[in-house]
Amino acid sequence: MALIALAADKGSPGVTTAAVALSAVWPRRVLLAETDPAGGDLVYRSAAAHGGPLNPNTGMLSIAATARRGLVPDQLWDHVQPLSGGLEVLVGLGIAEQAAGLTGLWPTLGHAFSTLADSPNAPADVIADCGRISGDTPAVELFPHAALVLLISRTEPEAIARVRDRAAALATKLHGGARGAASLGTPLIGVVLVADPGDAPKIAGQVNDMLVHAQTGARVIGTIADDPTGADQLAGRKRGRLDKSLLIRSARKVAADIYQQYGAAWAHQAQMNGQPG
């Protein structure tokens, strides 16, 4: 079990939608953490389990005071709210200015997120929605604690070029230099493409070849369907069989592929730490 951090370079590629979709179909217990320093979206787009709105003051904002006194992983649950569908969420900041309250605490949060998997009481994976990363955004301080960093990208040429360059920059920052294969560095760096389902396999192969050729240290992990209707259903803006949507079906495949490739290693690491996998 592990911390999986999702992020994007620029634009609006759908990081939050991807994070919620993957969390909804994750094969183990999971905590979705909105860690975008620019502010979260779920408080505006999702209802709480009781049918009313989420409390914007319970989540990343409330955890700041706790973290300054030290943070035991199980304390994360004190700041979690369930969504109407049952997904457990650490609600993000309301506005970017509130990020000042987390200054210096990002490594503490990263450690708590990554070691929640080792909790003897309520172990869980953490999927962190880090939003857009550029410049000196503090969310990258979570990455050294992650088992997997997923860069979300659309498939326009400029988006693919940006994700290639961002992956290479992250490899340098996190691994001390570009790598020829993602397996050589920890955290692993992966790319998830938001693509038209009909074109997804071909585009994924082309982008993966480009990432390998450029020695970025990243590879394509999978594709999530560019499905506006499914995204609206996921956000509660439309009714319909969400489980039959292209978005959820593709997210389920990505989640299953990730767990098939890395789950055994994560479980082994948990056992090495003396905890259940």
Side-chain angles (χ1 to χ4, degrees):
M1 303 178 81
L3 166 62
I4 299 95
L6 274 64
D9 183 75
K10 191 177 179 182
S12 301
V15 177
T16 297
T17 296
V20 174
L22 287 174
S23 299
V25 299
W26 199 248
R28 302 289 290 265
R29 187 180 185 183
V30 68
L31 169 61
L32 172 60
E34 281 196 296
T35 58
D36 185 348
D41 294 327
L42 293 180
V43 74
Y44 303 109
R45 67 164 72 171
S46 301
H50 53 67
L54 292 164
N55 182 350
N57 297 315
T58 299
M60 290 291 287
L61 190 61
S62 62
I63 210 169
T66 301
R68 292 202 177 280
R69 299 188 296 270
L71 188 62
V72 176
D74 279 343
Q75 289 179 291
L76 293 168
W77 297 115
D78 297 335
H79 304 268
V80 167
Q81 301 179 66
L83 298 184
S84 57
L87 184 62
E88 295 169 300
V89 174
L90 189 66
V91 171
L93 301 173
I95 55 176
E97 285 76 8
Q98 292 174 337
L102 289 167
T103 299
L105 298 179
W106 293 94
T108 300
L109 287 169
H111 182 262
F113 290 154
S114 65
T115 54
L116 185 61
D118 300 331
S119 165
N121 303 312
D125 290 340
V126 176
I127 293 180
D129 172 6
C130 300
R132 297 177 212 159
I133 53 168
S134 59
D136 57 354
T137 178
V140 298
E141 295 178 34
L142 298 177
F143 291 179
H145 301 276
L148 180 62
V149 174
L150 293 179
L151 298 175
I152 311 299
S153 176
R154 293 191 176 271
T155 57
E156 296 83 3
E158 61 273 19
I160 292 171
R162 281 197 296 265
V163 80
R164 175 199 62 203
D165 294 345
R166 178 58 60 186
L170 279 177
T172 299
K173 183 179 182 67
L174 298 172
H175 306 154
R179 305 280 176 155
S183 60
L184 296 179
T186 301
L188 302 171
I189 300 173
V191 172
V192 172
L193 299 171
V194 179
D196 181 278
D199 298 330
K202 179 180 178 181
I203 292 175
Q206 292 172 340
V207 174
N208 192 67
D209 288 345
M210 179 194 68
L211 293 172
V212 172
H213 179 73
Q215 296 188 321
T216 61
R219 66 182 183 87
V220 174
I221 297 293
T223 62
I224 287 182
D226 187 0
D227 178 14
T229 298
D232 284 343
Q233 291 173 344
L234 187 66
R237 292 189 291 265
K238 281 188 178 180
R239 300 176 66 86
R241 289 290 303 275
L242 179 60
D243 61 320
K244 299 295 185 182
S245 69
L246 293 172
L247 172 64
I248 289 298
R249 285 160 56 190
S250 60
R252 188 175 286 115
K253 184 179 187 312
V254 171
D257 287 348
I258 289 173
Y259 229 86
Q260 182 178 3
Q261 293 179 62
Y262 308 118
W266 295 340
H268 176 71
Q269 184 61 48
Q271 290 168 358
M272 293 289 288
N273 293 338
Q275 302 295 342

